């Protein structure tokens, strides 16, 4: 069965300073439990803010390293999920349910891509 990576992209400016609400965390936990019991969720986690990140860039034979925050970033990868689904449509349906647990003020985009085997 194919595996899919869902990259969770967020607008870090729309995230409340205190972080996700307890209600959001409860809804998220319930959904993750359901996805896991369905045998779909293989791994998931949130990521620290971009201000704690580092970018390693390679271009023209040279490597550069830049500490966050990254001023040009309008959206950031805030988390990920690796799911094993029968097809892309199933992965998309689970991902749609994931974005809908967020409150209306959040801006969340998930990019769902099949993991290339081999």
């Amino acid at each position: 069965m194919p595996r899919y990576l869902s990259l969770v992209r967020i607008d870090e400016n729309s995230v409340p300073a205190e972080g996700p609400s307890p209600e959001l965390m409860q809804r998220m936990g319930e959904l993750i439990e359901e996805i896991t019991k369905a045998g779909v969720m293989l791994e998931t986690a949130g990521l620290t803010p971009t201000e704690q990140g580092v970018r390693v860039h390679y271009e023209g034979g040279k490597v550069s390293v830049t500490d966050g925050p990254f001023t040009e970033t309008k959206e950031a990868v805030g988390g990920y999920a690796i799911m094993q689904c029968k097809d892309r449509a199933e992965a998309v349906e689970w991902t749609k349910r994931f974005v809908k647990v967020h409150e209306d003020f959040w801006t969340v985009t998930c990019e769902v891509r099949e993991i290339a085997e081999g």
Side-chain angles (χ1 to χ4, degrees):
M1 207 167 358
R3 294 178 306 146
Y4 294 87
L5 172 66
S6 177
L7 290 171
V8 182
R9 297 182 187 274
I10 61 169
D11 174 355
E12 286 187 318
N13 296 318
S14 75
V15 177
E18 64 277 3
S21 69
E23 296 81 14
L24 170 57
M25 295 307 295
Q26 180 178 343
R27 289 190 304 273
M28 185 82 61
E30 290 168 356
L31 179 60
I32 289 171
E33 183 177 342
E34 181 182 350
I35 298 170
T36 302
K37 284 182 179 177
V40 170
M41 184 66 71
L42 300 178
E43 182 178 335
T44 187
L47 301 175
T48 58
T50 57
E51 67 187 28
Q52 296 174 23
V54 174
R55 284 190 180 162
V56 179
H57 181 76
Y58 178 78
E59 182 176 6
K62 296 182 180 181
V63 175
S64 64
V65 178
T66 306
D67 290 332
F70 313 111
T71 55
E72 73 281 0
T73 300
K74 293 192 188 310
E75 63 177 20
V77 177
Y80 70 94
I82 298 175
M83 302 175 286
Q84 187 166 343
C85 301
K86 64 181 184 230
D87 55 26
R88 188 176 86 154
E90 181 184 14
V92 169
E93 284 305 312
W94 284 113
T95 303
K96 285 166 58 176
R97 290 188 58 194
F98 167 79
V99 298
K100 287 167 51 174
V101 301
H102 292 79
E103 290 98 352
D104 290 343
F105 58 83
W106 284 80
T107 301
V108 181
T109 302
C110 289
E111 180 179 343
V112 179
R113 296 175 58 187
E114 186 172 348
I115 296 172
E117 300 297 332

